[in-house]
Amino acid sequence: MNKKGQDKMLSMYWFAIIFLVAAAIVYMVVDFYSHPYNVRELETELLANQVADCISRGGKLNTEVFSKGKFNEEFENNFFEVCNLNFDSGPQWNEEIQYYVELDFFDVGDVFNSLFNLKKGNLNLVTSCEIKDEDYEKLAKCFTKRFYVASGDRQFLVELKSVVRKTEKNVK
Amino acid sequence: MLNKFRKRAQVGDTLTWFVATLIIVILLIVFVYVASALAGTKKVVKYASSIDFDDEKVELNWIGNKTEFAFEINFENKNFIEAWINEKES
């Protein structure tokens, strides 16, 4: 092969290599940024914080929940307004709710029988909470926390559970 | 004789370029693999659990603080309440 032909061959080779490298870079960038951030664990915690904030203000039980010596049944109906929450998940999930919140109030003297129980959102998501295996990334994420609230002389123990699904937006 | 040497040089050249290409391709495959592995682990688990405040580390526990505030109002059965709360966390 003469010198001219050799040069031509070499520049074709370099073009091929440059194209290969560029294609690989584009693939890497697209692949990296196409994976969503999985923020569901954080979201469950934020949801629990919001509900806890709504129930306990400075350690005192909200009067919307408990007043005049009894639990206010209306709180269950007004939960979203009182706690400034919105469980609308949008058309992506065919309006299927992607959140769940459960509250249990116990008396200090009896921690086995709930005095007041509140369940809001999609109850089907709770089954995911039983499975602890990290491999099941597509299941809903759960967060459970216990805390104590006072209301005058009365003492209440609260168990709060929050669940977030939203798998399609958080896991690929 | 000259032709034989030229042919041997050409084979050597081709082999060099072939090895170079192979190294580039292997490197690219490694980079692509690492990029996909890193992309798969983008999990945001928790925000800071403590903050540095005046050379002191202050633990952040949003819900836990509610219990502390409640004890300021009524601290009866404190040990029992703390045990009940920790029972779930342990």
Side-chain angles (χ1 to χ4, degrees):
Chain A
M1 203 184 291
N2 60 15
K3 182 88 174 83
K4 224 173 187 177
Q6 225 173 17
D7 279 355
K8 219 175 200 172
M9 193 78 165
L10 206 63
S11 47
M12 264 168 68
Y13 170 81
W14 276 121
F15 267 114
I17 291 293
I18 287 168
F19 180 78
L20 198 72
V21 172
I25 290 169
V26 168
Y27 176 81
M28 281 187 277
V29 171
V30 168
D31 187 44
F32 189 84
Y33 286 103
S34 65
H35 279 80
Y37 282 90
N38 192 353
V39 295
R40 293 178 306 158
E41 280 178 34
L42 197 63
E43 209 174 344
T44 51
E45 207 171 323
L46 288 172
L47 180 60
N49 286 352
Q50 175 74 10
V51 175
D53 248 1
C54 165
I55 289 159
S56 167
R57 289 174 185 169
K60 206 174 165 189
L61 187 57
N62 187 351
T63 50
E64 298 267 6
V65 186
F66 185 82
S67 63
K68 294 172 189 164
K70 62 183 175 79
F71 281 95
N72 190 358
E73 296 294 332
E74 274 298 294
F75 175 66
E76 194 157 359
N77 301 328
N78 303 332
F79 174 76
F80 293 109
E81 290 80 35
V82 175
C83 295
N84 283 320
L85 285 168
N86 185 356
F87 281 3
D88 285 348
S89 305
Q92 189 179 351
W93 290 280
N94 299 321
E95 308 299 333
E96 192 189 338
I97 294 170
Q98 301 291 303
Y99 302 97
Y100 176 75
V101 168
E102 188 175 335
L103 272 166
D104 267 307
F105 291 83
F106 301 95
D107 190 75
V108 173
D110 181 7
V111 292
F112 298 105
N113 297 307
S114 171
L115 294 173
F116 182 67
N117 173 268
L118 183 140
K119 289 172 181 169
K120 287 283 167 188
N122 189 347
L123 190 63
N124 297 329
L125 304 181
V126 186
T127 47
S128 301
C129 301
E130 306 304 321
I131 302 159
K132 302 279 179 209
D133 203 322
E134 284 288 315
D135 293 337
Y136 295 98
E137 263 300 301
K138 294 199 170 179
L139 291 175
K141 293 284 164 197
C142 309
F143 180 81
T144 308
K145 198 88 180 171
R146 286 175 168 183
F147 61 101
Y148 157 58
V149 278
S151 178
D153 291 343
R154 300 288 303 267
Q155 292 179 293
F156 296 106
L157 300 169
V158 185
E159 187 166 304
L160 166 60
K161 182 182 272 176
S162 61
V163 187
V164 176
R165 190 180 165 271
K166 291 171 90 178
T167 308
E168 292 78 4
K169 259 193 176 176
N170 288 271
V171 185
K172 198 179 173 185
Chain B
M1 188 71 170
L2 202 66
N3 253 356
K4 202 178 172 188
F5 275 128
R6 197 176 283 167
K7 206 166 234 175
R8 199 176 275 178
Q10 258 181 353
V11 169
D13 258 4
T14 312
L15 206 68
T16 307
W17 284 107
F18 180 74
V19 170
T21 312
L22 206 68
I23 289 168
I24 290 168
V25 169
I26 289 169
L27 271 176
L28 283 177
I29 290 168
V30 169
F31 286 149
V32 166
Y33 178 76
V34 170
S36 352
L38 285 175
T41 54
K42 284 193 293 183
K43 193 172 172 187
V44 185
V45 181
K46 202 175 179 185
Y47 47 81
S49 59
S50 65
I51 50 164
D52 292 325
F53 186 75
D54 279 349
D55 299 332
E56 198 189 330
K57 233 181 180 79
V58 180
E59 289 297 317
L60 297 173
N61 187 352
W62 194 265
I63 296 176
N65 284 346
K66 306 232 165 262
T67 301
E68 295 303 316
F69 285 130
F71 280 135
E72 297 287 322
I73 300 165
N74 188 346
F75 61 87
E76 270 180 65
N77 306 306
K78 191 175 178 184
N79 289 341
F80 173 77
I81 293 166
E82 280 177 342
W84 185 79
I85 291 167
N86 293 333
E87 183 188 290
K88 191 76 191 175
E89 282 172 3
S90 58

